[in-house]
């Protein structure tokens, strides 16, 4: 049984850092400590917890110069100059969730409908101990969605980072404790799979928030179901997010946005654009522009300033992506980007050449199963109806985007609103993609998971409703 984990640097396959797992008895003690500490933390006034949250932002901001290269070394973010964007997004989400904490966690008064002599209201109370299992691809951006709201709500958090990005959780927790959060309220614990199952099933762990693959989410769900009692589980899983380009789309703008939506972070985003449907009237022009832009990427060492496409997270991931492309080509897809433009993309490395595939269809995994790499399939369609049918023909439903000139054409606005009603996804975008607005609920349907983070509804899954019913007059 493994007793430690080692993070491998994606671009050079060298060891970066090793962390040791606790013994199960040690882990049991840590969870009990969290449970006891939470009873005291929940009694700290909400205004004070929010103030600590604001100080946490200052503490985290003070670390911002150290984070970019550290993050790139852990998971390969390229170029390293993109890392400050994750820090900005992290702080933006933190600020918004703190801004709405007081109203989101306030008692719901029923005074307008109380009968004489009665008073009723609904409280939001913390769940207790929350286990957050974080991913490696956007470790700060995703973790802020649940860790900070959980702490501000009065919960204790057991924070399990991905073995690929252990330092991100440690920095997160350090900023919280420096701001005044008790150390037992935010504990970073590196765990083996068996220890993770033990924690999920621990009777003092009340809720599990998992972000990762469908297979990983299923394992978390099964472990939770097999535990004694009934505990909540939030699952933020994969995506195969579609985009549809209508005839009146601004092609230059749309191409640039959809290339970035597919290639940013080497395509390793749960809400990356992974399949594009283009109306036949603009298909050829769109494809030509798209392929030309992708050919201009520079694949290489993510620590170098002129690199704008780095490695994927591991050699195993690279091999899986290459196989998906090869299988599509074998089935009739046409690749538009010569691999020899990207000499770094060698077998046995984590570097994958970006690829644009046409002549694709839904019999191919590249249009149906998550790629999580710098690959896009583009399919021609003849109508909005065909596009909608294909967009919904997926086991996933995280985000979807429609690209059309809704400002100039009323018909296009009406068309978008129909898509907004009928697309099976958690978020529908008009003329943008791959972005989380903290004021909006982040959620998915089908195999993209369940539960909600961000927005005022994000606090709902980290608390429970408690009804108070008082009969004040008894005579």
């Amino acid at each position: 049984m493994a007793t430690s984990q080692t993070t491998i640097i994606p671009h050079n396959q060298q060891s970066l850092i090793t962390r040791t797992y606790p013994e199960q008895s040690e882990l049991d003690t840590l969870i009990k400590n969290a449970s006891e500490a939470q009873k005291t933390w929940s009694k700290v006034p909400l205004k004070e917890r929010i103030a600590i949250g604001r100080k946490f932002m200052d503490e985290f901001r003070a670390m911002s110069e150290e984070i970019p290269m550290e993050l790139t070394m852990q998971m390969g973010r390229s170029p390293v100059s993109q890392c400050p964007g994750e820090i900005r997004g992290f702080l933006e989400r933190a600020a918004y969730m703190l801004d709405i904490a007081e109203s989101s966690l306030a008692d719901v008064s029923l005074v307008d409908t109380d009968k004489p002599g009665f008073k009723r209201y609904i409280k939001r109370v913390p769940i207790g101990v929350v286990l957050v299992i974080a991913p490696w691809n956007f470790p700060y951006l995703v973790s802020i969605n649940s860790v900070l709201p959980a702490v501000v709500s009065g919960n204790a958090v057991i924070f399990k980072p991905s073995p690929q990005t252990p330092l991100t959780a440690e920095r997160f927790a350090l900023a919280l404790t420096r701001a005044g959060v008790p150390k037992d309220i935010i504990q970073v614990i590196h765990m083996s799979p068996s220890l993770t199952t033990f924690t999920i099933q621990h009777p003092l762990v009340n809720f599990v928030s998992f972000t990762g693959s469908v297979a990983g989410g299923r394992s978390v769900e099964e472990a939770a179901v097999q535990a004694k009692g009934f505990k909540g589980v939030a699952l933020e899983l994969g995506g195969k997010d579609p985009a549809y380009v209508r005839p009146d789309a601004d092609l230059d703008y749309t191409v640039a946005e959809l290339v970035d939506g597919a290639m940013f972070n080497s395509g390793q985003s749960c809400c990356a654009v992974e399949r594009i449907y283009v109306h036949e009237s603009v298909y050829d022009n769109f494809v030509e522009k798209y392929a030309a832009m992708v050919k201009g990427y520079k694949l290489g060492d993510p620590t170098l300033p002129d690199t704008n496409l780095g490695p994927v997270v591991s050699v195993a991931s690279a091999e899986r992506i290459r196989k998906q492309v090869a299988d599509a080509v074998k089935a009739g897809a046409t690749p538009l980007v010569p691999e020899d433009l990207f000499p770094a993309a060698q077998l046995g490395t984590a570097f994958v050449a970006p690829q644009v595939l046409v002549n694709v269809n839904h019999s191919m995994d590249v249009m149906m199963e998550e790629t999580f790499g710098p690959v896009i399939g583009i399919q021609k369609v003849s109508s909005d109806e065909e596009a909608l049918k294909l967009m919904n023909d997926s086991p996933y439903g995280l985000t979807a985007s429609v690209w059309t000139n809704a400002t100039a054409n009323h018909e296009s606005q009406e068309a978008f609103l129909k898509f907004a009603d009928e697309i099976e996804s958690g978020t529908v975008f008009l003329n943008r993609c791959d972005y989380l607005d903290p004021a909006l609920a982040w959620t998915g349907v089908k195999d993209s998971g369940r539960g909600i983070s961000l927005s005022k509804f994000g606090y709902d899954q980290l608390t429970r409703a408690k009804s108070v019913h008082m009969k004040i007059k008894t005579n």
Side-chain angles (χ1 to χ4, degrees):
M1 182 181 296
T3 58
S4 65
Q5 63 185 36
T6 298
T7 300
I8 302 300
I9 302 170
H11 70 272
N12 63 20
Q13 296 299 295
Q14 300 297 307
S15 299
L16 176 65
I17 194 166
T18 297
R19 289 290 182 262
T20 302
Y21 301 140
E23 297 290 336
Q24 184 169 298
S25 59
E26 295 176 85
L27 179 55
D28 180 65
T29 298
L30 294 173
I31 296 171
K32 289 176 179 176
N33 291 345
S35 182
E36 283 301 310
Q38 188 273 330
K39 296 172 185 176
T40 302
W41 177 245
S42 66
K43 293 180 174 63
V44 174
L46 177 58
K47 286 183 182 292
E48 188 175 331
R49 297 198 301 262
I50 293 171
I52 290 172
R54 305 251 184 233
K55 188 177 179 184
F56 155 74
M57 290 180 62
D58 294 335
E59 294 289 348
F60 187 83
R61 195 179 287 111
M63 302 176 179
S64 59
E65 295 297 319
E66 305 165 50
I67 291 174
M69 185 60 71
E70 182 179 272
L71 181 56
T72 288
M73 294 296 285
Q74 289 174 89
M75 51 73 63
R77 177 70 51 74
S78 175
V80 69
S81 60
Q82 289 179 348
C83 294
E86 181 161 358
I87 297 170
R88 289 191 298 273
F90 176 97
L91 293 171
E92 175 192 20
R93 295 181 193 180
Y96 183 81
M97 295 307 288
L98 291 171
D99 287 345
I100 66 168
E102 194 165 4
S103 61
S104 299
L105 297 170
D107 294 347
V108 178
S109 173
L110 301 174
V111 65
D112 291 342
T113 56
D114 280 337
K115 296 177 181 178
F118 287 84
K119 182 179 180 179
R120 301 163 302 151
Y121 60 96
I122 304 168
K123 296 169 61 69
R124 301 292 324 174
V125 298
I127 295 174
V129 177
V130 176
L131 170 62
V132 175
I133 305 175
W136 53 264
N137 59 324
F138 285 97
Y140 290 114
L141 272 180
V142 174
S143 299
I144 195 64
N145 296 356
S146 51
V147 173
L148 183 61
V151 170
V152 169
S153 298
N155 299 292
V157 172
I158 303 294
F159 193 176
K160 181 201 175 302
S162 164
Q164 194 66 42
T165 49
L167 301 178
T168 59
E170 293 171 14
R171 281 201 179 274
F172 197 137
L174 179 60
L176 282 169
T177 55
R178 283 178 175 175
V181 175
K183 65 178 181 64
D184 288 334
I185 292 299
I186 176 65
Q187 299 184 69
V188 175
I189 306 177
H190 306 287
M191 308 180 201
S192 64
S194 61
L195 288 177
T196 302
T197 299
F198 172 81
T199 305
I200 293 169
Q201 296 181 335
H202 198 285
L204 294 178
V205 172
N206 307 99
F207 188 83
V208 182
S209 175
F210 171 84
T211 302
S213 68
V214 173
R218 186 171 289 112
S219 295
V220 167
E221 176 84 339
E222 289 173 353
V225 168
Q226 292 167 11
K228 291 183 179 179
F230 302 94
K231 62 185 69 191
V233 177
L235 304 172
E236 184 182 323
L237 308 178
K240 191 70 182 176
D241 292 4
Y244 170 44
V245 181
R246 298 187 77 244
D248 65 345
D250 178 341
L251 284 195
D252 288 337
Y253 167 81
T254 300
V255 166
E257 290 292 306
L258 288 177
V259 168
D260 185 66
M263 301 296 159
F264 187 84
N265 202 36
S266 299
Q268 299 169 122
S269 170
C270 57
C271 58
V273 176
E274 293 219 358
R275 51 195 174 109
I276 302 175
Y277 305 97
V278 183
H279 193 273
E280 59 188 5
S281 63
V282 293
Y283 176 84
D284 290 341
N285 195 9
F286 177 89
V287 168
E288 181 181 2
K289 289 174 179 288
Y290 197 101
M293 187 168 286
V294 171
K295 290 174 185 177
Y297 271 79
K298 183 168 183 181
L299 177 69
D301 185 337
T303 67
L304 300 179
D306 57 345
T307 299
N308 61 2
L309 191 67
V312 295
V313 70
S314 66
V315 173
S317 180
E319 291 174 349
R320 178 188 55 77
I321 295 164
R322 291 191 191 99
K323 182 179 186 303
Q324 193 183 67
V325 173
D327 287 349
V329 172
K330 186 177 179 180
T334 303
L336 300 183
V337 181
E339 286 194 33
D340 58 13
L341 292 176
F342 304 93
Q346 299 295 317
L347 294 177
T349 74
F351 291 98
V352 177
Q355 189 53 267
V356 178
L357 297 170
V358 294
N359 298 323
V360 292
N361 59 60
H362 280 215
S363 71
M364 303 172 183
D365 277 355
V366 77
M367 296 298 283
M368 295 297 288
E369 290 299 328
E370 190 170 36
T371 303
F372 228 60
V375 175
I376 192 73
I378 305 177
Q379 185 169 348
K380 183 189 299 185
V381 296
S382 60
S383 65
D384 288 358
E385 290 72 24
E386 183 183 6
L388 179 63
K389 181 179 178 180
L390 289 169
M391 293 170 89
N392 283 339
D393 181 28
S394 173
Y396 301 98
L398 191 54
T399 80
S401 59
V402 177
W403 304 76
T404 191
N405 192 343
T407 301
N409 302 320
H410 178 73
E411 180 273 333
S412 295
Q413 181 175 331
E414 291 299 312
F416 169 75
L417 293 175
K418 180 180 179 181
F419 276 94
D421 286 341
E422 298 187 18
I423 285 179
E424 297 165 357
S425 67
T427 298
V428 184
F429 293 108
L430 171 65
N431 296 333
R432 79 177 311 182
C433 59
D434 194 21
Y435 180 79
L436 275 67
D437 182 332
L440 295 174
W442 186 243
T443 186
V445 299
K446 298 190 278 192
D447 281 357
S448 290
R450 69 156 186 260
I452 297 174
S453 63
L454 299 177
S455 80
K456 67 176 183 178
F457 299 107
Y459 281 104
D460 287 353
Q461 74 175 15
L462 298 168
T463 56
R464 63 180 178 85
K466 185 174 187 178
S467 296
V468 179
H469 190 157
M470 296 183 285
K471 184 176 183 181
I472 298 170
K473 295 183 179 179
T474 59
N475 54 46

